[in-house]
């Protein structure tokens, strides 16, 4: 019996020691701090600044990826809603393709420093809404900040639609002086000169247009019709002859030689 009791006591001591050792190990594990979680992609790589997104949008747009450019600008505005460059770039895209004029208007309304580009975009917006007076005024503000023949031409066309011929003529004259080979601007100028009764000046413009591309019949035909409207029949016949010659030369250039006979 004594031996049995001694065995039981020894076994109890062994079990108790094992329990104490297990508890100590658990406590040590609990006291050990957990390893930090690996950083997420967002915390390790903060989003690029809005200026970088705008630059990326411009590159994508130049490559023809308008949708990708729009996505970059949306992202830039999500982090910096008041960033003027992103607002102007996005408004430019929307007005250029006419996809969302109201959104473009909201973007432009929040621009703090529009500059010449912002004024031009405001003029485009006014043209979309049929407000030629507003467009002409916005183009004028843009020209005060930076002279640009394209902007001046757009303003001239708005003035012409409004019936403000004298002011439109002045703008077209400045475009002609800056770009003498701009046949569209000179054609509009010739028409306005003629309507205003400034026949000598209209004559000079129609002659310049015909002489600029003598191989094309269109310029000579327009000159001939101008002469006909003003009762100058001999000059009209001569211009029609030049037009026929130009058409004949064009047809001859289009003819291809026959292949040699086998």
């Amino acid at each position: 019996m004594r031996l049995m009791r001694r065995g039981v006591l020894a076994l109890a001591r062994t079990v108790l020691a094992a329990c104490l050792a297990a508890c100590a190990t658990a406590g040590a594990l609990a006291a050990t701090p957990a390893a930090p979680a690996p950083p997420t992609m967002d915390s390790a790589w903060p989003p690029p600044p809005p200026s970088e997104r705008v630059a990326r949008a411009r590159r994508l747009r130049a490559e023809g990826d308008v949708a990708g450019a729009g996505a970059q600008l949306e992202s830039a505005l999500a982090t910096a809603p008041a960033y003027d460059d992103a607002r102007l770039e996005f408004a430019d895209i929307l007005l250029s393709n006419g996809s969302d004029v109201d959104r473009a208007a909201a973007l432009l309304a929040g621009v703090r420093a529009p500059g010449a580009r912002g004024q031009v975009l405001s003029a485009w917006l006014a043209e979309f809404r049929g407000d030629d007076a507003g467009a002409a005024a916005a183009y004028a503000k843009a020209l005060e900040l930076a002279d640009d023949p394209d902007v001046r031409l757009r303003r001239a066309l708005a003035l012409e639609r409004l019936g403000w011929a004298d002011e439109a003529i002045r703008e077209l004259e400045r475009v002609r002086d800056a770009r003498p080979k701009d046949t569209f601007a000179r054609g509009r100028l010739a028409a306005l000169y003629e309507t205003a009764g400034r026949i000598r000046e209209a004559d000079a413009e129609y002659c310049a247009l015909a002489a600029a591309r003598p191989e094309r019949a269109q310029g000579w035909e327009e000159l001939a019709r101008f002469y006909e409207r003003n009762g100058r029949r001999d000059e009209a016949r001569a211009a029609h002859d030049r037009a026929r010659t130009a058409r004949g030369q064009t047809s001859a250039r289009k003819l291809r030689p026959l292949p040699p006979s086998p």
Side-chain angles (χ1 to χ4, degrees):
M1 290 296 292
R2 287 179 184 175
L3 290 174
M4 185 177 294
R5 281 198 297 272
R6 288 176 183 170
V8 171
L9 288 172
L11 179 60
R13 290 192 195 98
T14 301
V15 171
L16 179 59
C19 288
L20 291 172
C23 289
T25 301
L29 289 174
T32 303
T40 63
M41 184 64 70
D42 289 341
S43 61
W45 303 99
S51 59
E52 185 176 324
R53 289 197 180 275
V54 171
R56 191 179 302 169
R58 288 171 179 158
R59 288 194 299 271
L60 290 171
R61 188 180 180 190
E63 295 166 0
D65 186 1
V66 178
Q72 290 293 323
L73 295 169
E74 290 277 19
S75 178
L77 289 169
T79 57
Y83 189 53
D84 279 357
D85 280 357
R87 285 178 168 271
L88 291 171
E89 193 70 29
F90 206 178
D92 192 331
I93 289 176
L94 296 174
L95 291 173
S96 293
N97 57 29
S99 59
D100 194 341
V101 175
D102 291 337
R103 176 80 186 280
L107 288 167
L108 291 174
V111 174
R112 295 164 296 177
R117 186 184 189 191
Q119 295 296 346
V120 169
L121 292 174
S122 295
W124 290 6
L125 178 63
E127 286 187 285
F128 267 108
R129 292 174 168 175
D131 180 10
D132 285 323
Y139 283 132
K141 290 179 181 178
L143 289 167
E144 289 173 1
L145 298 169
D147 194 7
D148 185 328
D150 286 327
V151 174
R152 203 169 289 283
L153 177 58
R154 295 288 294 258
R155 183 168 191 266
L157 296 177
L159 293 167
E160 184 180 354
R161 290 192 297 269
L162 289 166
W164 301 348
D166 290 343
E167 197 171 348
I169 286 172
R170 285 194 292 272
E171 292 288 24
L172 287 169
E173 287 173 339
R174 295 185 68 175
V175 175
R176 177 197 59 195
D177 293 343
R179 296 194 308 215
K181 294 182 180 180
D182 189 331
T183 56
F184 177 79
R186 298 194 76 160
R188 294 312 313 147
L189 183 56
L192 286 176
Y193 277 150
E194 185 179 2
T195 301
R198 298 167 63 172
I199 302 304
R200 182 178 297 178
E201 291 160 298
D203 189 351
E205 290 302 321
Y206 282 119
C207 285
L209 286 168
R213 300 291 299 273
E215 76 282 1
R216 297 186 62 182
Q218 181 180 352
W220 298 112
E221 289 289 3
E222 289 177 355
L223 179 60
R225 287 192 290 271
F226 164 73
Y227 286 143
E228 288 170 346
R229 288 192 297 270
N230 289 275
R232 297 160 64 174
R233 294 183 178 84
D234 291 342
E235 291 164 295
R237 281 193 293 272
H240 279 306
D241 288 342
R242 294 293 299 269
R244 281 192 291 271
T245 301
R247 279 195 294 271
Q249 292 173 345
T250 301
S251 299
R253 284 194 297 271
K254 289 181 179 178
L255 292 175
R256 296 181 179 178
L258 294 173
S261 301

